[in-house]
Amino acid sequence: MNESSSAGNPKKSATFFSLVQQGALLIALFCALVLVSMASVTGLTIRVQGNAHAINKAGTLRMQSYRLLANVSLTPGASDRLHNLADAFEADINSESLSSVLNREGLGSDLQRLQNDWQTVLRPGLLRHDNMPLVAEQVSTFVQHIDALVVSLEEKTEQHIQQTILLQKLFIVFSLLSVIAFVFYSRHRIVFPLRKLLGLASAIQHRNFKPRVFLRHHDELQLLAQTLNTAAHELEQSYQSLESRIAEKTTDLQQKNETLAFLYEALRALYHQGAYDNRSLHERFVAILDRVKILLPFSKLTLTLERRSPPPFPQMPASGSQRWELADAQTSYGWIEGRLLPDTPLIEEQRRLMLLLVDTFVVALVLEDQNHQREQWLLTEERTVIARELHDSMAQSLSYLKLRLATLQMQPTLSKEELHTALTEMRNEVNAAYRKLRELLTTFRLQLDQPGIDAALRKTVEEFSLRLGFPIDGDIQLLTMLPADKTIHLLHIAREAFYNIEKHSGATQASLKASHIGDEIVMDITDNGCGLPEDCEKRSHYGLAIMRDRAQSLGGVFRISNKPEGGVEVHVAFQQPQHTTLADE
């Protein structure tokens, strides 16, 4: 960036002045100002202190002058005292401290005149003390000169005090100005730039990389601003790149999700038949291809189902079209031909999708053939079972009637009562055979409209509840999708048990319970009827044999017995087929 390049520009680096250096210079200037102020005030204070001593000393001279004048009027014997006072006065007026102060203040000539007056006029006159009026006048004049000197010294001292006050005021003003300047400097060179930098940092923290900070001064804060600007620019580019990649990945994931959803719906449409989808396989193929035209750039898709062997295509696709063969190693089931939109070739992922779809169609066609073959086998097996049941029931009845008729023909001399009894037995056998035939026909026409053994058993419970005239207690807890042959066998056993309850038991209550116990499927059917007769295994009870045969076909256990409290219990148990439990949807 331009901001970052300025940091390495030699021209700008030459004018770089560190904030630390600027702060140190300001502090040094402020300290120098404080030291000068203290030194000046201290010097003036010392001078004032010397002046006060000099004023006191001058006042002492004035007092001593009057004391000398007072001692002149004493007796002549007191001359020694006068000489002592005069010596003390002379020592004071010639003292070094007084002369140094007065010389420093420019009053040395006045002190010199006083010293001369003392030596030439006042001292000799006081010591002679022959003319008192003249001495008194001389003392008075001398005191006036001392007073004038004291006034001059006081004026000088007052000037020094005023100078000290003025200097203090100036230093106070300079200090305030320095503080104001420092505050102003801090706000404009430190606080405001730091606020801008914090604002930029906060914007970066909230993923707003547009703001920039530009500072005029070349210092550490400007270098920091350039660094943050560079970081914001790089982060902005990184986030833009990441957002672009995320958008691409999101679009790619959405396309893959749409593809997976399409594949799921396609597989569901192909393999969920019966109650889920009653359309033919060809109609489901066409519906799936209509969805493909929305996902892939096809203007037209056609499906041709035509079983051939060997599997090569019957002709080459037209220009601008693509063709996929629906074939396995043995059989060709047809082909799919699609015309692409102009200038929109298929990408590799779309090609893989089409190949996967073709493989799915082939698997569905193969499974349809296998299911058709299995249905044919199941139909043949069921017909065999029904034929066996017809043989066990109808053939026995017809054989009985044939033998009975032969017996009657061989006994022409039977009485009316015997003939009536024989005809009644034959009529009952014909009615029983007729009822069994109707039941077999009903069973033969039985259709499984809904998938699962649980739905078939519930429908059977509802049907026989209407036929028996009371509700059957059904407790069916099976989440198992049984193979078709096992479903038919278990359903026929239940129907045969309910048929026996309807025709023979005279029951008022019945129940069906089907559930999983361990790895077995168990079904129990009970009633409160009259129970089984002792000769239930004899003629006209071939239904029990049919139930046993079907239970044996299931590879399970069949048991029928009377309950202690009355009625019959039918028990069927067989191993649960592996990998058939349905997951909750």
Side-chain angles (χ1 to χ4, degrees), residues 285-293 301-303 336 357 361:
F285 283 171
V286 172
I288 292 171
L289 291 179
D290 289 339
R291 179 77 183 276
V292 172
K293 286 194 296 185
L301 274 174
T302 58
L303 171 67
I336 298 175
L357 187 63
F361 281 8

Side-chain angles (χ1 to χ4, degrees), residues 223-279:
L223 181 61
L224 182 58
Q226 293 173 356
T227 304
L228 288 177
N229 289 336
T230 304
H233 177 70
E234 293 176 354
L235 286 173
E236 181 181 15
Q237 290 181 339
S238 299
Y239 267 85
Q240 289 177 351
S241 176
L242 287 175
E243 289 176 354
S244 176
R245 292 174 61 186
I246 290 172
E248 292 176 359
K249 293 295 183 181
T250 302
T251 304
D252 184 53
L253 286 176
Q254 289 176 348
Q255 293 176 352
K256 290 182 178 179
N257 286 336
E258 291 178 356
T259 302
L260 290 174
F262 162 72
L263 290 175
Y264 172 77
E265 294 298 332
L267 292 174
R268 185 179 179 86
L270 288 176
Y271 299 120
H272 285 207
Q273 303 177 6
Y276 297 98
D277 198 341
N278 294 321
R279 296 175 298 175

Side-chain angles (χ1 to χ4, degrees), residues 119-138:
Q119 292 291 339
T120 58
V121 178
L122 187 58
R123 181 182 177 89
L126 288 172
L127 294 178
R128 288 193 308 266
H129 52 81
D130 52 357
N131 189 356
M132 289 300 297
L134 179 61
V135 172
E137 183 180 358
Q138 290 175 347

